Amino acid sequence: MTDAIRLDNLSLSIGGAQILDGVTLSLREGEITGLIGRSGSGKSMTALAMMGLSPRATQLSGKIIMDGENILAMRERALCALRGRKVAMVFQEPMTALNPLQTIGAQVAEVFQTHEKISRAEAQKKAETALARAGLPPEEVSPAKRPHELSGGQRQRAVIAIAIAMKPKVLIADEPTTALDVTTQAEILDLLKSLVKEDGTALLLITHDLAVVSHIADRIAVMDHGRIIAEEAANDFYAHAHSALARDFIPARVRREASAAPKTESVLKAENISCDYVNRRPSLFAEPSLFRAVHNVDFDIMKGETLGLVGESGCGKSTLAKALLGLHPLAEGRAAIGGESFPARDKASMRRLRRKIQIVFQDPYSSFNPRQRIADIVAEPLHLIDAPLTRMQKRERAAALIESVGLNEEALDKYPHAFSGGQRQRIAIARALATDPDVVILDEATSALDIGSRNRILDLLQSLSASRGVSLLFITHDLSVIHDIADRVLVMKNGHIVERGETGRIFAAPENDYTRRLIAAAPVIKWR
């Protein structure tokens, strides 16, 4: 096979810190290369260097050769002509990669107008073709929609449509499936595989999930501390089922401690909860219509229990979480914390009840104020406590919380950008525990973490739940996480709970076809 692009002894440093150290890697036409490694190993920085998008403060050496030219020696004008036409990238978070003010059709059309001298109408027509190739045909998903009107999977397809518009020789996909449910993830991987076959593109699939690359990669490269420490054909790599290298990326099982006594005390109760959204009016004079996102959901969470909530993107999981937090109005039904209805009618009761339920968001970085130090971020919920605390008391409380999640007190004086993804998630957990809540909701809290960080966070949650008696509502699309950590499982589809039961029973003998489809779609490592 012919090399589409070749990295030759690529090194990159920032402020004296070595990020990449002598990276040598070839991507071949019509071949999929999986690049795996832990968070911070240098995978994304390698991708940015290939796109000519390295941060300005970087010092680069080595070569990135494509069509006989060194990308590192190109001027910005030449790089602009290269990006999108010859090398394109699918970013991990499509919502931040897309322009929220432009329609998806306009954003794909912009690629054609940038690289070809064609009219806006011609570009729009080509954009519709590119969107259709990516699984968004105009008759099903209008090109006139904006990113916020699409589901997570649809947004990822829109980003893929932008990347493949000019049929580039090299396509880089940086963690393209981490925030997607298992069925959408399978669809996106099948789409990428078919595009490589149709266009002869060289695909670099960056991920920390060995099960994902086992399904589609032809070659595997492993990165650690800025170096390629292994590179071989996928069949050879997966033949080493018991090698230390392979085990580093296998989702190790997290032990769930069995409780001696059954959990019978209910701390949170949902009774026939329904939630609506108001659809956008088609015209100024038309009556607004309602879309019911959650239908008559009822369940209990017991003290010290971990309840898993699974389902595809758009099924209503996050809307239900917002309703339980009092952040989305209830159309019908009732939520109760400790027997008291929530949200409460008066402010005093609302403050008292809000202390009892907290949330850990999927992306902690976007939920933090980047200008605040960690001490202030962790202490932020303490305003809900009736007795006012002095600044010193707040710092002491923050220090104890930070230490309880495995970080040092030194972290209090740093800013969020100074921490890794796993460390930021620990900080988010510390903040959620600040008011000694009865219930913590975790909304996709481990989806963007590598295997090692994920397991450490799950172990931490298990120990905190056992020591503090905190109940957890764990919302995720990762069935392996639910299998490891949850006592009971709720399966949600189109706003309805279609199956519920003990975790072991759900995975061993699912009764609903939808549950069986979710379990079947979960990626597993294919050892050769």
Side-chain angles (χ1 to χ4, degrees), residues 120-153:
R120 182 179 296 180
E122 290 176 305
Q124 192 64 39
K125 198 169 184 179
K126 286 192 170 187
E128 291 181 3
T129 302
L131 285 166
R133 284 192 74 206
L136 296 176
E139 61 272 15
E140 294 181 13
V141 180
S142 171
K145 285 193 172 184
R146 289 177 170 79
H148 73 272
E149 298 177 291
L150 305 177
S151 69

Side-chain angles (χ1 to χ4, degrees), residues 207-456:
T207 184
H208 58 252
D209 192 338
L210 190 60
V212 167
V213 293
S214 75
H215 285 255
I216 68 170
D218 301 299
R219 295 187 64 79
I220 303 290
V222 182
M223 180 167 269
D224 187 40
H225 292 94
R227 298 181 179 181
I228 300 292
I229 61 172
E231 182 191 356
E232 55 189 336
N235 285 335
D236 295 334
F237 183 87
Y238 289 107
H240 307 154
H242 302 290
S243 72
L245 184 62
R247 285 199 302 271
D248 285 344
F249 301 98
I250 299 173
R253 297 297 305 277
V254 177
R255 290 180 178 270
R256 185 170 69 250
E257 296 295 335
S259 176
K263 301 176 176 72
T264 57
E265 181 186 347
S266 175
V267 293
L268 186 146
K269 187 178 186 64
E271 297 179 339
N272 298 317
I273 286 180
S274 295
C275 300
D276 294 335
Y277 283 100
V278 179
N279 289 323
R280 191 172 61 179
R281 297 186 182 191
S283 68
L284 180 63
F285 304 102
E287 288 294 324
S289 60
L290 294 178
F291 168 71
R292 178 141 294 186
V294 177
H295 299 260
N296 301 319
V297 170
D298 64 276
F299 61 86
D300 284 274
I301 300 179
M302 304 303 172
K303 184 174 178 61
E305 180 187 39
T306 298
L307 180 66
L309 178 62
V310 299
E312 294 175 309
S313 298
C315 72
K317 304 188 302 294
S318 294
T319 300
L320 177 59
K322 291 176 185 176
L324 296 174
L325 288 160
L327 301 177
H328 189 93
L330 300 179
E332 295 176 8
R334 171 179 176 264
I337 300 173
E340 296 183 77
S341 293
F342 185 81
R345 294 182 180 275
D346 60 277
K347 289 185 178 180
S349 298
M350 189 66 179
R351 284 170 61 88
R352 179 169 49 79
L353 290 174
R354 191 172 286 284
R355 291 200 305 265
K356 297 184 177 183
I357 183 166
Q358 295 291 316
I359 187 168
V360 177
F361 295 98
Q362 178 176 353
D363 181 5
Y365 193 62
S366 62
S367 69
F368 293 161
N369 185 335
R371 297 184 177 184
Q372 281 189 329
R373 297 181 190 273
I374 300 305
D376 296 320
I377 289 173
V378 174
E380 187 177 6
L382 294 177
H383 75 276
L384 295 171
I385 294 176
D386 293 332
L389 301 177
T390 65
R391 186 168 184 81
M392 182 58 68
Q393 288 173 323
K394 287 182 178 180
R395 184 176 176 87
E396 289 173 356
R397 185 73 171 267
L401 288 164
I402 280 293
E403 289 177 0
S404 74
V405 297
L407 296 176
N408 297 324
E409 188 176 349
E410 298 172 356
L412 295 178
D413 296 315
K414 297 179 180 179
Y415 292 93
H417 71 267
F419 298 90
S420 69
Q423 289 172 327
R424 284 197 288 262
Q425 201 62 283
R426 288 173 180 264
I427 294 166
I429 293 169
R431 180 175 65 174
L433 295 172
T435 60
D436 290 323
D438 294 332
V439 180
V440 174
I441 298 175
L442 299 114
D443 191 2
E444 301 284 8
T446 61
S447 64
L449 302 180
D450 62 62
I451 297 301
S453 298
R454 189 209 77 161
N455 289 339
R456 287 190 289 273

Side-chain angles (χ1 to χ4, degrees), residues 20-35:
L20 301 179
D21 186 7
V23 175
T24 297
L25 181 68
S26 294
L27 304 184
R28 301 166 184 171
E29 294 178 2
E31 187 176 78
I32 300 173
T33 301
L35 181 60

Side-chain angles (χ1 to χ4, degrees), residues 167-182:
K167 297 185 178 180
K169 292 180 64 175
V170 176
L171 180 62
I172 304 167
D174 188 4
E175 302 279 9
T177 62
T178 53
L180 303 178
D181 60 71
V182 289

